[in-house]
Amino acid sequence: MKPIRPSIKDIAAHLNVSVTTVSFVLNGKGPEMRISEEVIQKILGYAREINYRPNQLAQSLRTGKTNVIVFMVEDISNPFFARLARIIEVIAYQKGYKVIFCSNENDDRHTGELLQVFRDQQVTGYIIIPSAGAKKQIKALLQEGVPVILFDRYFPELETNYVVIDNENATYQATKHLIGNGYRKIGFVTIAASQTQMVDRLKGYKKAVKEAKLRSRVLELPFGEDASEGEEHMRKFFEANPDLDAVFFATNYLAQQGLLVMREHFPGKLHAWGIMSFDDNEFFRIHTPSISAVAQPLEEIGSKLMEIMLDLLKNEKKALHQVVLTARLQERDSSQQKDVKSL
Amino acid sequence: MKPIRPSIKDIAAHLNVSVTTVSFVLNGKGPEMRISEEVIQKILGYAREINYRPNQLAQSLRTGKTNVIVFMVEDISNPFFARLARIIEVIAYQKGYKVIFCSNENDDRHTGELLQVFRDQQVTGYIIIPSAGAKKQIKALLQEGVPVILFDRYFPELETNYVVIDNENATYQATKHLIGNGYRKIGFVTIAASQTQMVDRLKGYKKAVKEAKLRSRVLELPFGEDASEGEEHMRKFFEANPDLDAVFFATNYLAQQGLLVMREHFPGKLHAWGIMSFDDNEFFRIHTPSISAVAQPLEEIGSKLMEIMLDLLKNEKKALHQVVLTARLQERDSSQQKDVKSL
DNA sequence: TTGAAAGCGCTAACAC
DNA sequence: GTGTTAGCGCTTTCAA
């Protein structure tokens, strides 16, 4: 039933030329190999006629290139990653690459296992958000010489390509924005993690608070907690700090949990407090009050990642690309002038 | 620099056995082929020692099986699809399959192009949300004999595997719930599409409304509009129907757009109207008022899809799996008893 | 200018 | 029980 797909051999046989000639022509090396125009046209024409499509498996086996790019994130169902995936996908398919995606759940063992699988698959390139302790695995990958790009965070000690945003400056500016709008007792909710991006965000907050001679009030949630535990911690933190007048969530899921806590336990604060989140989100526009956020430039991150990837794939001598992009502060109602808000 | 990966041949050479023996043993056919326990252990031991991993490309070229499953949805950045992707992913990797995902943008040409690419890649199985006019492409795929499962919607005229939910009954029940809670003038916002799931949702709404001897008020947005056009249409619809006391959005992104419109142009209605959405969402819990929704059983859909896929992959004689799952009504504040609400 | 042939790593029919 | 060998479909060196 399954129609036998024509192979290069069939073409050669039909046209009374050798497979070599066909292969050369099909790979655009006809002119280079000085194959006669007549033969070239004959082959191209027939290939089109029978709708010839090369067997990519065979091609890959031979060349060692699979044209598959892995996109590994913490959790593909996180809207931030999902939207990025979408952007990467579009560019990759345009350029003839396929994307395999996967979630490492921020777990080192899982990261290692997945990378093992992909190595077996001879994956062509990697775009990775590394889990906290994945330095060794990443290093091993680098040593194989395959293109690897980290993003969102990176290992300063490792000479890798990466695309990140200026987390420190972004939180610094956003915190200053809150201060500028009259907030003085700003809580910062983050997770206890040594990952560069979280460290930098905390740094930015502390810098702004210190400059304004305010006291920093940080809640560091234990790493790896589930949502309900996090919510419980936040509830206690808000309770223990009744004088807070603003809160800054260091990631979008922390904001999500925090908003829920506020809604359920401190409904009054929802409109009284200044609220700021890292990572923007469609729903922050819809929420009442609408939530101000540090918006990562998703399009830019995605296209930069692919631009670098394509460059690494093309050029034998691999340059080092380390890109820091600027985030944008999306001001909304939740961070409006304090006095105006509390009216 | 790149360490040469040991091949089956290396093992054979090192152990003074033939590649056949090695191949059999490694594929667990040792006992079947009555290869001596001693040789089996020797091969297994050495393979483990040098950390042998088969070249999957060669394996695939030979067997024609790639162990790659395609997961094609409208838009992977839609949270509904992203969460489903996550569920599929976990199961697939556990079973030794890889998942390639892609978005067809609900566009037939795009669907066709993607399928072409995957056919070239010798993809092992397909899980697809078909775009509206993709019947022909799906049919072609079926004829190749590869496992195909549709979900979310399907083509009744095509004998395919599918996993869907009982859209009609779900909207019927949800509409009855609104009616039961005192709402009488319920608008239904949907898109003009012939896709089974949208047709069924509208049907369910109409049935409930008719049974209650109420008038149906439907806004059918033109297919393929962008968000801002949709919002404009909704604004006009709400304006033209000032007596509405509830609104039912037929998809999560329509709800998203609608909530924004209400927030910006009819803030009073946000608390006065009954609101219901199809497809649940984390943010519906956080929203004020929290939004009631018809929740699709994501876990169940995902595991059912993979269960069917694994069955199709395993069994030569392929059974037909047509599964209809039940959605769950998630009642929240936005659909509370009308009189209670308007207090 | 074109063709023959080796071989990528693996499977499996067939031979011994 | 184990080995020989012919491919899977393609690229590429070498020879003509």
Side-chain angles (χ1 to χ4, degrees):
Chain A
M1 187 79 278
K2 196 179 293 190
I4 307 287
R5 264 173 53 161
S7 79
I8 211 170
K9 212 150 100 186
D10 298 323
I11 299 184
H14 183 90
L15 261 33
N16 275 321
V17 293
S18 81
V19 288
T20 317
T21 312
V22 178
S23 174
F24 282 148
V25 170
L26 257 23
N27 288 317
K29 294 189 185 162
E32 184 184 327
M33 290 305 182
R34 298 193 295 181
I35 292 175
S36 68
E37 189 56 27
E38 186 200 335
V39 174
I40 293 185
Q41 286 314 322
K42 197 168 64 175
I43 293 175
L44 254 29
Y46 184 63
R48 203 166 304 123
E49 184 188 324
I50 62 170
N51 188 28
Y52 168 77
R53 344 216 80 239
N55 179 324
Q56 301 197 11
L57 280 173
Q59 224 162 5
S60 298
L61 176 60
R62 191 59 238 247
T63 60
K65 300 249 145 274
T66 52
N67 286 3
V68 169
I69 294 171
V70 161
F71 181 70
M72 183 189 292
V73 297
E74 244 178 82
D75 176 359
I76 193 73
S77 67
N78 179 320
F80 171 63
F81 300 133
R83 290 202 40 210
L84 206 46
R86 183 84 174 79
I87 293 165
I88 301 270
E89 176 203 355
V90 170
I91 304 177
Y93 280 97
Q94 268 168 11
K95 301 288 181 179
Y97 291 90
K98 277 110 247 160
V99 182
I100 287 197
F101 73 102
C102 60
S103 313
N104 61 22
E105 295 167 341
N106 216 341
D107 177 85
D108 298 332
R109 209 168 61 88
H110 202 169
T111 303
E113 282 169 8
L114 287 169
L115 289 180
Q116 185 61 270
V117 169
F118 296 134
R119 209 167 314 177
D120 294 353
Q121 281 266 121
Q122 261 102 295
V123 159
T124 305
Y126 297 81
I127 298 177
I128 300 182
I129 295 200
S131 55
K135 190 157 57 174
K136 225 174 43 205
Q137 283 102 319
I138 300 295
K139 206 167 168 183
L141 208 56
L142 288 170
Q143 258 150 17
E144 303 214 338
V146 250
V148 177
I149 314 174
L150 306 185
F151 76 104
D152 191 59
R153 66 197 75 156
Y154 63 103
F155 301 108
E157 321 83 74
L158 233 50
E159 225 185 42
T160 56
N161 304 288
Y162 60 73
V163 174
V164 295
I165 60 161
D166 57 346
N167 285 284
E168 179 174 344
N169 188 49
T171 32
Y172 172 69
Q173 297 295 347
T175 308
K176 277 210 354 185
H177 161 76
L178 283 171
I179 295 171
N181 275 351
Y183 300 96
R184 291 289 170 268
K185 289 144 187 170
I186 306 169
F188 191 79
V189 178
T190 182
I191 45 169
S194 59
Q195 300 157 5
T196 48
Q197 88 283 18
M198 299 314 288
V199 171
D200 289 349
R201 288 177 198 177
L202 182 56
K203 236 190 259 175
Y205 160 80
K206 284 197 167 158
K207 184 173 161 202
V209 162
K210 192 170 175 188
E211 271 184 18
K213 304 205 193 323
L214 301 175
R215 188 157 71 79
S216 79
R217 300 137 184 273
V218 177
L219 170 61
E220 287 196 277
L221 297 174
F223 183 75
E225 272 193 342
D226 68 22
S228 65
E229 291 171 306
E231 284 161 22
E232 185 56 17
H233 271 115
M234 286 193 220
R235 195 180 60 69
K236 286 189 185 144
F237 177 69
F238 294 156
E239 228 161 51
N241 291 273
D243 61 332
L244 284 182
D245 62 4
V247 60
F248 193 144
F249 297 103
T251 76
N252 60 357
Y253 59 86
L254 289 174
Q256 194 174 311
Q257 294 167 22
L259 287 172
L260 199 61
V261 170
M262 292 173 73
R263 185 183 185 287
E264 288 182 354
H265 301 285
F266 312 91
K269 312 281 194 188
L270 215 46
H271 287 267
W273 279 2
I275 303 174
M276 177 70 67
S277 172
F278 213 97
D279 288 345
D280 199 13
N281 193 299
E282 267 305 302
F283 282 92
F284 286 168
R285 286 172 67 204
I286 298 170
H287 191 269
T288 309
S290 57
I291 306 294
S292 301
V294 175
Q296 299 206 40
L298 287 174
E299 292 285 344
E300 212 181 328
I301 295 176
S303 50
K304 201 75 204 174
L305 282 171
M306 282 308 291
E307 183 190 307
I308 296 175
M309 180 54 75
L310 294 171
D311 180 76
L312 294 173
L313 255 23
K314 203 174 54 195
N315 299 315
E316 203 43 52
K317 55 165 275 319
K318 291 171 169 48
L320 199 59
H321 301 257
Q322 305 191 322
V323 178
V324 179
L325 299 172
T326 306
R328 192 176 47 78
L329 179 58
Q330 177 71 52
E331 301 180 21
R332 296 209 183 84
D333 295 346
S334 73
S335 65
Q336 264 183 20
Q337 189 69 33
K338 188 178 175 185
D339 309 324
V340 175
K341 258 187 87 171
S342 40
L343 286 185
Chain B
M1 187 79 275
K2 196 179 293 189
I4 306 288
R5 266 173 50 162
S7 79
I8 210 170
K9 214 150 98 189
D10 299 321
I11 299 184
H14 182 90
L15 261 32
N16 277 319
V17 294
S18 81
V19 288
T20 316
T21 312
V22 179
S23 174
F24 282 147
V25 171
L26 258 22
N27 288 318
K29 293 188 186 163
E32 185 183 328
M33 289 308 182
R34 299 194 295 182
I35 292 173
S36 69
E37 190 55 28
E38 186 201 335
V39 173
I40 292 185
Q41 286 314 322
K42 197 169 64 174
I43 293 176
L44 254 29
Y46 184 63
R48 203 167 304 123
E49 184 189 324
I50 62 170
N51 188 26
Y52 168 77
R53 343 214 80 240
N55 179 323
Q56 300 197 12
L57 280 172
Q59 224 162 3
S60 298
L61 175 60
R62 190 59 239 238
T63 60
K65 300 249 145 275
T66 52
N67 286 3
V68 169
I69 294 171
V70 162
F71 181 70
M72 184 189 290
V73 297
E74 244 178 83
D75 176 0
I76 194 72
S77 67
N78 179 319
F80 171 64
F81 300 132
R83 290 202 40 210
L84 206 46
R86 182 85 175 79
I87 294 165
I88 301 272
E89 176 203 355
V90 171
I91 305 177
Y93 280 96
Q94 267 169 12
K95 301 287 181 181
Y97 291 91
K98 277 110 247 159
V99 182
I100 286 198
F101 74 101
C102 60
S103 313
N104 61 23
E105 295 167 339
N106 217 339
D107 177 87
D108 298 332
R109 208 168 61 89
H110 202 171
T111 303
E113 283 169 8
L114 287 169
L115 288 180
Q116 183 63 267
V117 169
F118 296 134
R119 208 167 316 177
D120 293 353
Q121 281 265 122
Q122 261 101 293
V123 159
T124 304
Y126 297 80
I127 298 177
I128 301 182
I129 296 200
S131 54
K135 190 156 57 173
K136 226 173 43 205
Q137 283 102 316
I138 300 295
K139 207 167 167 182
L141 208 54
L142 289 171
Q143 258 149 16
E144 303 214 339
V146 249
V148 178
I149 315 174
L150 305 185
F151 76 103
D152 191 61
R153 65 197 76 156
Y154 63 102
F155 301 107
E157 321 83 73
L158 233 49
E159 225 184 42
T160 55
N161 303 290
Y162 60 73
V163 174
V164 295
I165 59 161
D166 58 346
N167 286 283
E168 179 174 344
N169 188 49
T171 34
Y172 172 71
Q173 297 295 348
T175 308
K176 277 211 351 186
H177 162 76
L178 283 172
I179 296 170
N181 275 353
Y183 300 96
R184 290 290 170 268
K185 287 143 188 172
I186 305 169
F188 191 79
V189 178
T190 183
I191 47 169
S194 58
Q195 300 157 4
T196 47
Q197 89 282 17
M198 299 314 286
V199 170
D200 288 349
R201 289 177 197 177
L202 182 56
K203 236 191 258 175
Y205 160 81
K206 284 198 167 157
K207 185 174 161 201
V209 162
K210 193 170 175 188
E211 272 184 17
K213 304 207 190 329
L214 299 175
R215 187 156 71 78
S216 79
R217 300 138 185 272
V218 177
L219 170 62
E220 287 196 275
L221 297 175
F223 183 75
E225 271 193 341
D226 67 24
S228 64
E229 291 172 306
E231 285 162 23
E232 185 56 19
H233 271 115
M234 287 194 220
R235 195 179 60 70
K236 286 191 184 143
F237 176 68
F238 294 157
E239 229 162 50
N241 292 273
D243 61 332
L244 284 181
D245 63 3
V247 59
F248 194 145
F249 297 102
T251 75
N252 59 358
Y253 60 86
L254 290 174
Q256 193 174 312
Q257 293 167 23
L259 287 173
L260 199 61
V261 169
M262 292 174 73
R263 185 182 184 289
E264 288 182 355
H265 301 287
F266 313 90
K269 312 282 195 187
L270 215 45
H271 288 268
W273 279 2
I275 304 175
M276 177 70 67
S277 172
F278 212 97
D279 288 344
D280 199 10
N281 194 299
E282 267 305 303
F283 282 91
F284 286 167
R285 285 172 67 204
I286 297 170
H287 192 268
T288 310
S290 58
I291 306 294
S292 301
V294 175
Q296 300 207 39
L298 287 175
E299 292 284 343
E300 212 181 329
I301 295 177
S303 51
K304 201 76 203 174
L305 283 171
M306 281 308 292
E307 183 190 308
I308 296 175
M309 180 54 76
L310 293 172
D311 181 77
L312 294 173
L313 255 22
K314 202 175 54 193
N315 298 316
E316 201 44 51
K317 55 164 277 316
K318 291 170 170 46
L320 200 58
H321 301 258
Q322 305 191 322
V323 178
V324 179
L325 299 172
T326 306
R328 191 175 49 77
L329 180 58
Q330 177 71 52
E331 300 180 20
R332 296 208 184 86
D333 295 345
S334 73
S335 64
Q336 265 183 20
Q337 189 70 32
K338 187 177 176 185
D339 310 322
V340 176
K341 255 188 88 169
S342 41
L343 286 186

